[in-house]
């Protein structure tokens, strides 16, 4: 009897089965698809089922095997794997929606004007601004807080510099954090004093005292801000981001937004080195959309505010070599915690002393070549003898090509000849054979295309300088694309799930209005993202 049924099934299959096509959720064909697989292959079509690519190939191959209610004839449009920002701050971007936007202010007067306009409209308990940069002003020096004291005698005002490493605060804010001139919390160089008073500028740890005092948005507000920030990411083709350093509460909020289906963006969330985080995450955590596998540490500050820790004094301030923000014993302790939990460490290092010291402290754990994928973030100024140490200890360079063109007009003033080892993306990439790219938004725009352009041409959006800035460290378009897709995924141990258009991986992809691998240099910054898909689902732009 069983045998007869089997024969019957075979007969029915012969009649219909061979010609029946498998039904899938989405079919994309007649496209110009960069898979970014090992061979950098091009294909024309793919089929998506249950959120994953189940087959990629030619249009003829895919259409002969599959059918779907959603079949998209792309008519030659270009498709890439979804972009991944390997170092950014999604939750900060979200929070910034509640701050005065000071980006691009061309004078301190303009900063004050923007604050006044905001204050007229919102009347908040604290006035918080973000994004001023004295390097864009005619007189590029740090401001003092006199005007803010007069204008806002009773409202605390904290205005963060573009890099977040420096703030200007008024007397009302200083009073509310109860900071006195001889306060033990003030580390050397972090709170300049003039005529026996704070100037209002505070750097690094001292700036954090103020940042931590700013009233937090409510959970409901914060959720809204995160969803807004994710939308901003989709506009630029991002399907994944690495959020560089979060408290437990933020990670739990992201997880809950994923679980409730409100948030689609994939997030590689790095841990702030808090007891609470170490207590909670004793080993890496992975859901379909959330990776927790990395501890974020800081070794120094930023170049713009002379907080980057340099081996020798600054060219424009011979009295300072910048700031080491985490003491060696504390740093070692955090590394041990991460190592024991089987996690990566990613350390913010801008200056050459910070890079050197971090490699030194990493070497205790890494010993030699390894696959632990510990990372150095930014690596802006690297001493010539330290490049090969990236290879020696298999340290992943994670850089922001856009920083090079943002800093190019003043970086030489700060560090002089040392710029020859600066923004060395290609040299760093050569050491380990790959590199990860991010934008560090909201310090920069969430614009992956401009980042790609800066990586390849080393020019700003006015196409300056003519020949490009330190172009020996420009990378090819192919490597730039890898650094924002498959290598960014690899930098968080996610390369088996995403980062390329290959069978079995999540169907995360982006449709652009042009082929950025082929169009003329001047057409790249004009590129528009037409559609973005995460797990085969179209995001609202
Ligand atoms: Zn950052």
């Amino acid at each position: 009897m069983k045998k007869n049924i089997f024969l019957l099934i075979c007969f029915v299959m012969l009649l219909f089965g061979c010609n029946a096509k498998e039904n899938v959720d989405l079919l994309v064909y007649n496209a110009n698809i960069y898979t970014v697989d090992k061979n950098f292959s091009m294909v024309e079509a793919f089929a998506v089922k249950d959120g994953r690519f189940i087959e990629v190939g030619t249009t003829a191959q895919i259409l002969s095997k599959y059918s779907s209610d959603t079949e998209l004839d792309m008519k030659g449009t270009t498709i890439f794997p979804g972009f991944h920002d390997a170092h950014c701050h999604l939750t900060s971007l979200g929070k910034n929606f509640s701050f005065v936007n000071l980006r691009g202010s061309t004078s301190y007067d303009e900063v004050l004007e923007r604050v006044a306009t905001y204050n007229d409209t919102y009347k908040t308990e604290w006035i918080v601004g973000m994004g001023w940069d004295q390097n864009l002003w005619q007189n590029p020096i740090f401001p003092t807080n006199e005007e803010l004291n007069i204008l806002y005698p009773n409202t605390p005002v904290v205005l963060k510099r573009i890099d977040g490493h420096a703030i200007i605060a008024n007397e009302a804010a200083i009073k509310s954090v109860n900071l006195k001139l001889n306060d033990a919390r003030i580390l050397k160089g972090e709170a300049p004093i003039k005529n026996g008073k704070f100037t209002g500028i505070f750097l690094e740890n001292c700036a954090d005292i103020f940042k931590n005092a700013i009233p937090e948005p409510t959970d409901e507000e914060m959720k809204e801000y995160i969803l807004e920030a994710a939308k901003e990411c989709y506009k630029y083709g991002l399907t994944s981001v690495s959020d560089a350093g979060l408290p437990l509460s933020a990670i739990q909020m992201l997880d809950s937004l994923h679980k409730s289906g409100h948030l689609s963006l994939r997030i590689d969330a790095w841990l702030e080195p808090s007891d609470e985080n170490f207590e909670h995450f004793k080993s890496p955590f992975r859901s379909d959309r959330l990776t927790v596998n990395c501890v974020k540490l800081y070794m120094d500050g930023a170049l713009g505010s002379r907080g980057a820790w340099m081996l020798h004094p600054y060219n424009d301030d011979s009295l300072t070599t910048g700031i080491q923000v985490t003491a060696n014993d504390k740093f070692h302790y955090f590394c041990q915690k991460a190592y024991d939990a089987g996690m990566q460490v990613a350390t913010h290092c801008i200056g050459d002393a910070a890079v050197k010291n971090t490699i030194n402290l990493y070497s205790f754990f890494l010993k030699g070549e390894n696959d632990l994928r510990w990372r150095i973030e930014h690596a802006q100024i690297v001493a010539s003898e330290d490049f090969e140490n990236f290879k020696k200890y298999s340290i992943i360079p994670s850089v922001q090509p856009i920083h090079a063109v943002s800093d190019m007009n003043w970086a030489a003033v700060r560090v002089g000849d040392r710029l020859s080892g600066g923004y060395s993306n290609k040299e760093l990439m050569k050491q380990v054979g790959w590199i990860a790219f991010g934008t560090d938004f909201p310090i920069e725009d969430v614009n992956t295309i401009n980042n790609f352009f800066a990586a390849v041409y080393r020019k700003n959006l006015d196409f300056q300088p003519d020949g490009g800035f330190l172009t020996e460290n420009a990378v090819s378009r192919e490597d730039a694309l890898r650094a924002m897709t498959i290598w960014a995924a690899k930098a968080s141990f996610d390369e088996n799930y995403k980062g390329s258009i290959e069978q079995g991986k999540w169907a995360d992809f982006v449709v652009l209005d042009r082929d950025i691998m082929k169009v003329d240099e001047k057409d790249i910054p004009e590129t528009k993202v037409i559609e973005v898909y995460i797990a085969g689902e179209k995001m609202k732009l």
Side-chain angles (χ1 to χ4, degrees):
M1 185 61 190
K2 260 187 185 157
K3 200 175 166 194
N4 286 345
I5 292 174
F6 177 72
L7 284 173
L8 184 69
I9 291 172
C10 286
F11 178 69
V12 171
M13 278 178 72
L14 267 177
L15 264 185
F16 305 102
C18 294
N19 292 323
K21 293 182 185 176
E22 185 184 342
N23 201 271
V24 295
D25 300 326
L26 172 67
L27 274 184
V28 170
Y29 61 97
N30 282 339
N32 176 40
I33 302 170
Y34 288 85
T35 62
V36 196
D37 65 3
K38 234 192 197 116
N39 304 316
F40 212 73
S41 329
M42 304 293 298
V43 296
E44 298 170 334
F46 52 72
V48 174
K49 195 171 185 180
D50 298 329
R52 295 175 194 269
F53 298 113
I54 59 164
E55 192 165 347
V56 301
T58 64
T59 295
Q61 273 169 359
I62 299 297
L63 290 187
S64 70
K65 273 180 82 173
Y66 303 98
S67 67
S68 174
D69 292 340
T70 316
E71 299 193 357
L72 304 178
D73 179 354
M74 301 308 290
K75 301 190 169 71
T77 321
T78 303
I79 294 180
F80 296 97
F83 300 144
H84 179 160
D85 194 311
H87 178 128
C88 60
H89 304 271
L90 182 81
T91 39
S92 308
L93 177 72
K95 269 190 193 168
N96 280 4
F97 289 120
S98 68
F99 298 158
V100 195
N101 180 6
L102 303 173
R103 295 170 61 99
S105 304
T106 53
S107 65
Y108 186 55
D109 283 342
E110 188 180 339
V111 168
L112 295 174
E113 269 166 42
R114 291 197 197 182
V115 170
T117 312
Y118 175 91
N119 188 49
D120 287 345
T121 327
Y122 295 105
K123 293 275 179 262
T124 45
E125 205 185 320
W126 282 53
I127 299 173
V128 184
M130 170 71 197
W132 59 270
D133 180 359
Q134 84 282 6
N135 291 311
L136 302 177
W137 307 341
Q138 205 164 33
N139 188 12
I141 55 165
F142 277 153
T144 54
N145 64 5
E146 280 126 22
E147 291 99 328
L148 292 174
N149 296 338
I150 296 166
L151 291 166
Y152 310 100
N154 303 313
T155 310
V157 182
V158 173
L159 308 178
K160 302 182 199 178
R161 193 180 177 279
I162 183 81
D163 59 13
H165 289 264
I167 59 148
I168 174 104
N170 68 349
E171 285 293 339
I174 296 169
K175 213 184 267 170
S176 74
V177 300
N178 201 15
L179 198 71
K180 301 272 161 50
L181 288 173
N182 56 359
D183 199 299
R185 292 175 288 177
I186 300 173
L187 302 184
K188 196 174 145 238
E190 291 190 350
I193 291 165
K194 202 175 158 189
N195 304 329
K197 282 176 68 187
F198 291 123
T199 65
I201 288 289
F202 298 96
L203 305 168
E204 308 305 335
N205 298 290
C206 220
D208 290 343
I209 296 173
F210 290 87
K211 288 193 237 166
N212 295 336
I214 296 167
E216 285 290 316
T218 65
D219 278 4
E220 282 319 300
E221 285 169 338
M222 200 56 223
K223 282 180 184 171
E224 285 307 311
Y225 295 148
I226 288 172
L227 297 180
E228 276 295 304
K231 229 180 193 177
E232 187 73 7
C233 291
Y234 304 146
K235 273 190 217 159
Y236 295 103
L238 290 168
T239 56
S240 292
V241 297
S242 293
D243 197 317
L246 291 171
L248 179 60
S249 56
I251 296 172
Q252 287 172 331
M253 185 177 287
L254 292 169
D255 193 31
S256 79
L257 284 169
H258 280 150
K259 283 188 176 133
S260 66
H262 289 92
L263 180 65
S264 301
L265 188 67
R266 294 186 203 284
I267 296 169
D268 160 40
W270 305 353
L271 303 173
E272 276 179 6
S274 64
D275 290 343
E276 193 183 35
N277 270 338
F278 287 131
E279 238 356 87
H280 191 89
F281 294 102
K282 293 238 155 63
S283 59
F285 169 84
R286 271 201 164 73
S287 75
D288 282 351
R289 293 181 199 257
L290 181 65
T291 300
V292 181
N293 187 42
C294 185
V295 176
K296 166 75 181 296
L297 302 178
Y298 282 87
M299 188 52 80
D300 65 348
L303 208 52
S305 42
R306 295 189 196 83
W309 182 24
M310 303 297 297
L311 292 166
H312 303 287
Y314 279 83
N315 285 47
D316 57 350
D317 186 349
S318 61
L319 296 178
T320 183
T321 51
I323 301 169
Q324 175 179 6
V325 299
T326 312
N328 286 359
D329 51 348
K330 205 166 168 189
F331 189 90
H332 180 90
Y333 169 81
F334 293 147
C335 287
Q336 185 75 56
K337 284 277 186 191
Y339 186 84
D340 292 344
M343 291 196 186
Q344 296 171 271
V345 177
T347 305
H348 167 115
C349 299
I350 304 264
D352 51 9
V355 172
K356 187 181 283 298
N357 197 49
T358 298
I359 293 173
N360 215 352
L361 291 163
Y362 273 7
S363 69
F364 176 88
F365 299 93
L366 301 180
K367 300 197 166 66
E369 282 192 37
N370 64 82
D371 194 31
L372 296 175
R373 303 189 198 174
W374 285 21
R375 313 167 40 142
I376 285 188
E377 304 302 307
H378 316 304
Q380 279 180 8
I381 311 290
V382 180
S384 55
E385 69 275 14
D386 279 327
F387 283 101
E388 62 187 31
N389 285 326
F390 280 78
K391 180 175 166 58
K392 186 171 173 192
Y393 296 107
S394 311
I395 295 168
I396 312 312
S398 162
V399 304
Q400 298 69 39
I402 194 77
H403 284 346
V405 296
S406 294
D407 299 358
M408 66 187 177
N409 291 329
W410 51 263
V413 180
R414 292 272 191 283
V415 301
D417 292 347
R418 290 169 283 184
L419 204 54
S420 63
Y423 307 93
S424 305
N425 301 348
K426 190 170 187 180
E427 188 57 41
L428 288 165
M429 183 185 83
K430 281 197 317 210
Q431 298 303 324
V432 280
W434 56 289
I435 192 164
F437 283 174
T439 62
D440 209 1
F441 72 68
I443 288 168
E444 303 277 1
D445 287 329
V446 192
N447 193 323
T448 45
I449 300 293
N450 289 351
N451 206 36
F452 173 87
F453 177 69
V456 176
Y457 289 101
R458 311 273 291 194
K459 290 180 184 179
N460 66 17
L461 296 178
D462 298 323
F463 301 97
Q464 294 299 319
D466 259 342
F469 172 65
L470 304 172
T471 44
E472 61 277 20
N473 272 299
V475 303
S476 67
R477 295 193 203 204
E478 204 172 302
D479 286 336
L481 180 61
R482 285 195 173 104
M484 55 202 257
T485 54
I486 189 68
W487 289 343
K490 191 174 170 185
S492 58
F493 282 99
D494 285 324
E495 74 272 26
N496 293 327
Y497 320 109
K498 61 187 190 186
S500 61
I501 296 178
E502 291 182 87
Q503 192 178 20
K505 289 197 181 183
W506 289 115
D508 300 350
F509 59 95
V510 47
V511 185
L512 299 186
D513 72 343
R514 68 198 71 190
D515 183 349
I516 54 169
M517 306 305 283
K518 294 217 173 96
V519 294
D520 205 67
E521 166 190 343
K522 68 175 194 322
D523 291 328
I524 295 175
E526 300 292 311
T527 305
K528 294 274 172 298
V529 171
I530 304 175
E531 283 173 0
V532 180
Y533 287 78
I534 298 179
E537 252 176 69
K538 191 168 156 181
M539 297 297 110
K540 261 206 198 104
L541 296 188

